[in-house]
Amino acid sequence: FNSRTYIGYIMALTKLNFGGSGQGAISRLSGAIVQTVQGKGTQQISQVNQTSTYADAVSLTITPTSASNKILLVGHINILLYASNRIDATVQLGRDSSTVLQQNTIYNLHGSGSYYPYHTTNYPFHYLDDAYNTTNELTYRIKFRQGTSSGTLYHCHANSLGNSRLIAQEIQV
């Protein structure tokens, strides 16, 4: 018994209508995933001495099918920090060029003697965007910049020791 063949046979006999109305029509239920898009940051991005300009670690675009649906965002940024003293990095999840959805600071608080050892992290993001109100293409980004440093900064990199990722799912309302 091959379940795939059986299901394909039943669907061929049933003649399903997924997009219309009337007999045999099936509509998506609230909470159904309409589409999924993934972005992956594969190139090392350096932000040494960039304390006011953000750089994209990973981005993706999605075009919602309905302005009333929601976009679920799940991802992480891989950050590597190393300095002769304390260093931090500011990370953001944003929509298009100016909307900040989430922001946080990652600190390299470890230390031994006069150097702070390498600090690497996969900082997670989870966000449900229900305020976009458009069916135009949306671009979501995880971006970062160097924070304050009290000494010489050697590394403030994304995608150096691993890839940053971002997944967007349009959810039916």
Side-chain angles (χ1 to χ4, degrees):
F1 178 76
N2 184 330
S3 63
R4 285 186 197 175
T5 304
Y6 181 72
I7 290 171
Y9 176 74
I10 295 300
M11 289 179 72
L13 289 177
T14 308
K15 191 178 179 185
L16 297 174
N17 177 3
F18 286 96
S21 59
Q23 187 177 10
I26 296 176
S27 62
R28 284 190 210 111
L29 299 174
S30 180
I33 297 171
V34 178
Q35 62 176 314
T36 301
V37 177
Q38 175 178 268
K40 180 178 170 183
T42 58
Q43 294 182 350
Q44 177 177 297
I45 310 294
S46 179
Q47 281 296 85
V48 174
N49 299 321
Q50 297 295 323
T51 58
S52 60
T53 305
Y54 283 87
D56 291 352
V58 61
S59 66
L60 61 78
T61 58
I62 187 169
T63 304
T65 60
S66 170
S68 63
N69 287 345
K70 299 177 187 308
I71 304 291
L72 176 63
L73 299 159
V74 178
H76 71 269
I77 182 171
N78 178 279
I79 290 276
L80 171 67
L81 299 172
Y82 181 61
S84 64
N85 283 311
R86 184 186 153 292
I87 181 64
D88 58 68
T90 301
V91 295
Q92 290 182 343
L93 173 65
R95 179 180 358 100
D96 296 325
S97 61
S98 60
T99 304
V100 177
L101 303 172
Q102 285 183 336
Q103 178 172 308
N104 208 339
T105 302
I106 299 171
Y107 296 96
N108 178 359
L109 297 177
H110 308 291
S112 175
S114 61
Y115 286 90
Y116 282 57
Y118 285 101
H119 176 82
T120 185
T121 188
N122 281 311
Y123 185 82
F125 287 95
H126 304 91
Y127 189 83
L128 186 64
D129 189 2
D130 59 357
Y132 59 87
N133 298 321
T134 186
T135 55
N136 294 331
E137 182 178 85
L138 298 168
T139 300
Y140 290 97
R141 296 175 170 86
I142 297 178
K143 52 191 178 177
F144 75 110
R145 68 170 172 79
Q146 173 190 327
T148 57
S149 175
S150 55
T152 303
L153 174 67
Y154 298 106
H155 298 292
C156 182
H157 305 310
N159 307 324
S160 180
L161 298 176
N163 298 324
S164 300
R165 293 186 184 270
L166 183 58
I167 298 170
Q169 291 185 322
E170 182 181 2
I171 308 296
Q172 178 82 26
V173 175

